[in-house]
Amino acid sequence: LSIVSIGNSVQSYLTTSYTRRVYSAPNTTVTPLHARTFGTYTALASIIRLYAAYNITNPVVYQLALWTYVVALGHFYSEWLVFRTARFGEGLAGPLVISMGSVVWMVVQWGEYIR
């Protein structure tokens, strides 16, 4: 998942087309700056998650990775339900499912990795 996210970060620097699929509500403008900012956050989160994958028993790293998913989940839900810049569809469904599933999985599996 981290490798795919890094690819997503790269594309955010090259084009706004994929970012516009997430933020697709009417009257929502996605600028190159917005796409690059989104790409930068995604790159940072990907690095933390990749580090956690190789240091899964380290509680601090595990918590940092979990927080990256919590922040992403909060962001996507707020853009959809509060700010109305995103519409539920193919561009938003993936990030919502991955972030929610990851939060649930990491909380449920906490005791298996952190002792």
Side-chain angles (χ1 to χ4, degrees):
L1 189 57
S2 290
I3 301 301
V4 172
S5 294
I6 290 171
N8 187 33
S9 297
V10 170
Q11 68 79 27
S12 292
Y13 278 87
L14 302 176
T15 180
T16 61
S17 64
Y18 294 106
T19 307
R20 279 184 292 170
R21 289 172 57 192
V22 175
Y23 305 100
S24 60
N27 300 320
T28 299
T29 302
V30 175
T31 66
L33 175 60
H34 178 234
R36 290 190 306 270
T37 302
F38 185 72
T40 301
Y41 166 77
T42 303
L44 179 59
S46 299
I47 291 166
I48 293 169
R49 293 168 187 165
L50 188 62
Y51 196 84
Y54 287 98
N55 297 279
I56 196 76
T57 59
N58 182 321
V60 173
V61 177
Y62 195 93
Q63 289 172 30
L64 284 172
L66 176 58
W67 275 111
T68 67
Y69 289 112
V70 170
V71 169
L73 183 63
H75 168 74
F76 290 119
Y77 268 109
S78 67
E79 292 299 331
W80 176 33
L81 300 173
V82 177
F83 302 112
R84 307 264 189 228
T85 58
R87 283 189 305 185
F88 190 80
E90 70 173 286
L92 185 61
L96 284 175
V97 168
I98 289 170
S99 57
M100 175 62 82
S102 297
V103 168
V104 170
W105 180 260
M106 289 185 76
V107 169
V108 167
Q109 294 299 311
W110 179 276
E112 295 298 317
Y113 297 109
I114 308 301
R115 298 185 194 278

